[in-house]
Amino acid sequence: MGNLQINTTQNVNLDYKIVGLGERIVAFLIDGLILYMYAYLVSLISNAIGFIWEDTWTQRGLASLIFLPAMFYSLLMHSLFNGQTVGKMLMKMRVVRLDGAPVHWSNLLVRWMLRLVDIWIFLGSIGILSILFSEKRQRVGDAAAGTVVISTKRKTKVSHTILEEVEEAYEPQFTNVTLLTDKDVRLIKETYHIAKKSGDFKTLTALRIKVDSILKTNSNLYDVQYIDTVLKDYNYYTQKM
């Protein structure tokens, strides 16, 4: 199973799993159920129209007009909800471009038009085979549009970013931690965790001296406690701002 790397606005690389055939079929069936329910509702409305207009062509015309949005369900949903339909939302997946960027309406239009080949004309066989045998699990429509379906279940943990879990009742000690930038804090956190894990106390001391020279805190805390406090204080102030 392939992965797709996406870079966030905080310059954190997130690896997303490319969704396989099984999950895509489940999402498709969920959307199909929604369309079936909509079609049933249209049939009820059509019967009600029959009591108002006796003309058969008028009945069919109005029923077709009401059913028209269902014909564009996939295109409309993907466009309105940034690459997701109800089925994809429930299955936690999304259509994105190959570079990880959000899809453009032109990408979605190409995907939607090629559903005719992938799904309808050949009863899904073309779409299934192309997903199974393509490197990035793309159907023909995805390959033509330059898109891929990814899982939005993130593997990246808080420990891989500048974020720290701060308790609601936490009281910060160093008010000038905001002199640091996100880049500074990311470097401090990465160095801190590597040094702490390997028991490299010399690096921890050097890191503490460097941070203290920037913040001028003159704290009596031990190295590990000091760096840990700086990270939590930074998150406390930046999250409250």
Side-chain angles (χ1 to χ4, degrees), residues 33-43 65-70:
L33 179 61
I34 291 172
L35 289 174
Y36 174 80
M37 294 171 62
Y38 184 78
Y40 179 71
L41 179 62
V42 170
S43 70
L65 188 62
I66 297 170
F67 188 74
L68 190 62

Side-chain angles (χ1 to χ4, degrees), residues 13 74 78 84 86 101 120 129 141 149 187 201 208 212 223 229:
N13 288 324
S74 177
H78 281 106
Q84 289 183 301
V86 174
W120 305 121
L129 289 173
V149 181
L187 181 60
F201 300 108
R208 182 252 171 80
D212 191 48
D223 296 340
T229 302

Side-chain angles (χ1 to χ4, degrees), residues 118-189:
D118 279 322
I119 301 172
W120 305 121
I121 293 179
F122 300 100
L123 302 178
S125 59
I126 298 296
I128 290 172
L129 289 173
S130 60
I131 290 172
L132 286 175
F133 292 104
S134 65
E135 182 184 354
K136 296 187 180 298
R137 302 294 183 260
Q138 296 169 293
R139 62 178 178 86
V140 174
D142 286 313
T147 59
V148 67
V149 181
I150 63 167
S151 171
T152 55
K153 301 172 185 175
R154 291 185 179 179
K155 293 181 180 179
T156 300
K157 299 179 181 179
V158 170
S159 59
H160 297 158
T161 70
I162 65 169
L163 301 178
E164 288 283 328
E165 294 181 3
V166 180
E167 297 178 359
E168 196 70 34
Y170 179 78
E171 294 183 4
Q173 296 188 38
F174 308 130
T175 57
N176 56 343
V177 289
T178 51
L179 293 172
L180 300 170
T181 65
D182 284 357
K183 184 178 180 181
D184 295 331
V185 174
R186 187 178 299 110
L187 181 60
I188 291 168
K189 185 172 183 178

Side-chain angles (χ1 to χ4, degrees), residues 17-33:
K17 183 182 76 171
I18 295 174
V19 176
L21 178 63
E23 291 171 285
R24 292 182 69 163
I25 289 176
V26 173
F28 177 80
L29 292 176
I30 292 172
D31 291 326
L33 179 61

Side-chain angles (χ1 to χ4, degrees), residues 77-79 81-85 88 93-96 103 108:
M77 289 296 293
H78 281 106
S79 299
F81 296 99
N82 194 23
Q84 289 183 301
T85 60
K88 286 185 173 64
M93 60 178 72
R94 181 187 303 277
V95 177
V96 297
V103 282
L108 295 174

